[in-house]
Amino acid sequence: MSSRAVRGAPRRTGPAATQRGGDHDRIEDPGKGRVIAAHGRHYVVQPDRGGSLLQCFPRGKKSEVAVGDRVSFEATSADQGVIVATDARRNLLFRSDQFKSKRFAANLDQLLIVLATEPHFSEDLLGRALVAAEAHQLEPVVLLNKADLLDALPLARKRVAFYAALGYRVVEVSATGAADATHATLTPLLAHRATLLLGQSGMGKSTLVNLLVPHANAATRDISSALNSGRHTTTFTRWYALPNGGALIDSPGFQEFGLYHLTEGQLERAFPEFRPLLGGCRFYNCHHLHEPGCAILDAVAQGHIAPARHALYAQLLHEASQVVR
Ligand SMILES: Nc1nc2c(ncn2[C@@H]2O[C@H](COP(=O)(O)OP(=O)(O)OP(=O)(O)O)[C@@H](O)[C@H]2O)c(=O)[nH]1
Ligand SMILES: [Mg+2]
Ligand SMILES: [Zn+2]
């Protein structure tokens, strides 16, 4: 796991507050804990020392906190507190457009991109999630759920096979149709790692959380209303500790995934099929868009790189160029 700082990632918010002499109620403060949920400027912190969850606000208007952050807090009552400092993060996954960015979660090891046979999944979003994983040094795993829906299975299998051929790990499961087998397949994959479940609405992310995390009780949608309704069941990101170590993080379904914060260098290296060819272009600063002697464009012309992947690269490069740096 790289410890490289992610561009745009907020830093420590400040030194931990010192203990106040004579204040016996706060003898344990600042306590340490993990941010397990975020609702706007209001965070749920799970204290390391155990006990009830704390509803916390960060101290200072500018401090940015993400689900997964390790924080120092001061309790202000039995179930409330103030976040006084955020530890340095290993990484922070976020999406961004021209104007704003939205944090998914921090301190992750793995990205489980959840697809389903039904509803139809977007390859544009899958491609973007893979690029995000590569650029943020997270291990991506493509999970095809709802393998029990046999009518839709052959087409979905064909679509994910393309990503397996690129070298990505693809796992096929059925959270409801084959719960025990799914549990057995996923448990070793998730053990001792922090894994974010990412995917469009209705793919089965929360159903997987309920299968893998005892007492999680995450809300899921009944199937009739889940199909093609465009509404999300999960409305906030939530960190769940796994029984065998590690954590599973559920997130709301997403419909867009801007990556305006990535640089050209990050983008070209985020496509595994480009990597062996980088450095083979005529111009050292080739953008791989329409330059003569471009090794990437040659590979597209010869059928070694799929045109849709090159089109995704070009689109992401275009988006990144919209940002004033
Ligand atoms: N047939 C079938 N249905 C499934 C499977 N896994 C989940 N579902 C159903 O798919 C629907 C949506 O599941 P959710 O877990 O709510 O989906 P989600 O990805 O969390 O959706 P959002 O929270 O909106 O992002 C529910 O009705 C689930 O019961 C599966 O393996 N097979
Ligand atoms: Mg959900
Ligand atoms: Zn080139």
Side-chain angles (χ1 to χ4, degrees):
M1 192 66 227
S2 163
S3 60
R4 195 173 67 92
V6 174
R7 268 161 41 82
R11 295 163 299 278
R12 276 183 76 99
T13 52
T18 48
Q19 276 185 13
R20 269 159 269 190
D23 190 346
H24 296 296
D25 289 335
R26 302 182 181 209
I27 199 92
E28 289 181 67
D29 285 342
K32 296 289 288 185
R34 166 99 56 196
V35 176
I36 62 160
H39 310 266
R41 292 263 308 151
H42 152 196
Y43 301 93
V44 180
V45 173
Q46 181 157 44
D48 292 349
R49 64 184 181 221
S52 54
L53 301 178
L54 299 175
Q55 312 288 327
C56 291
F57 286 97
R59 175 170 291 165
K61 284 214 167 60
K62 286 222 175 106
S63 54
E64 289 186 351
V65 180
V67 170
D69 269 337
R70 299 276 311 147
V71 295
S72 303
F73 63 87
E74 286 180 10
T76 52
S77 74
D79 59 0
Q80 290 187 325
V82 179
I83 294 170
V84 294
T86 306
D87 289 0
R89 303 173 172 129
R90 282 190 293 142
N91 52 39
L92 172 66
L93 186 69
F94 61 103
R95 59 188 168 87
S96 61
D97 61 20
Q98 240 167 315
F99 308 106
K100 59 183 188 318
S101 63
K102 179 149 174 36
R103 284 159 274 164
F104 285 117
N107 297 321
L108 301 169
D109 299 302
Q110 199 166 234
L111 191 61
L112 199 59
I113 305 167
V114 184
L115 311 173
T117 50
E118 252 177 44
H120 198 73
F121 65 84
S122 154
E123 278 193 56
D124 178 64
L125 289 174
L126 168 58
R128 285 167 183 264
L130 289 169
V131 165
E134 298 267 1
H136 292 209
Q137 284 89 40
L138 301 176
E139 186 81 35
V141 177
V142 177
L143 188 75
L144 178 62
N145 187 29
K146 310 199 193 182
D148 55 296
L149 299 178
L150 296 177
D151 289 349
L153 184 59
L155 175 61
R157 264 191 186 152
K158 194 166 156 235
R159 295 173 77 211
V160 296
F162 173 79
Y163 296 88
L166 288 177
Y168 290 111
R169 185 165 188 179
V170 174
V171 180
E172 192 178 294
V173 297
S174 169
T176 57
D180 289 347
T182 299
H183 195 282
T185 303
L186 294 182
T187 299
L189 202 83
L190 303 175
H192 309 297
R193 290 160 156 206
T195 303
L196 175 67
L197 299 181
L198 207 59
Q200 292 158 265
S201 200
M203 298 289 147
K205 298 179 293 299
S206 301
T207 305
L208 288 161
V209 166
N210 287 337
L211 178 66
L212 295 157
V213 182
H215 315 296
N217 242 326
T220 59
R221 185 123 33 108
D222 76 75
I223 194 132
S224 53
S225 61
L227 296 178
N228 304 320
S229 76
R231 284 186 20 254
H232 302 184
T233 303
T234 302
T235 53
F236 57 89
T237 302
R238 171 82 197 246
W239 176 289
Y240 297 93
L242 283 165
N244 300 328
L248 200 54
I249 301 105
D250 195 9
S251 70
F254 64 94
Q255 281 156 322
E256 52 183 0
F257 200 155
L259 291 168
Y260 284 64
H261 57 283
L262 298 184
T263 63
E264 184 167 352
Q266 286 175 312
L267 282 174
E268 64 179 12
R269 286 193 301 276
F271 287 77
E273 67 271 53
F274 290 16
R275 285 199 287 257
L277 303 172
L278 296 174
C281 303
R282 186 180 304 165
F283 302 114
Y284 79 93
N285 60 348
C286 185
H287 303 299
H288 324 304
L289 291 177
H290 22 65
E291 293 80 358
C294 171
I296 305 289
L297 291 173
D298 287 351
V300 175
Q302 289 162 17
H304 303 313
I305 290 179
R309 292 278 290 171
H310 182 262
L312 175 63
Y313 163 78
Q315 174 61 27
L316 292 172
L317 190 60
H318 170 73
E319 292 177 9
S321 73
Q322 306 299 299
V323 180
V324 180
R325 294 180 195 278

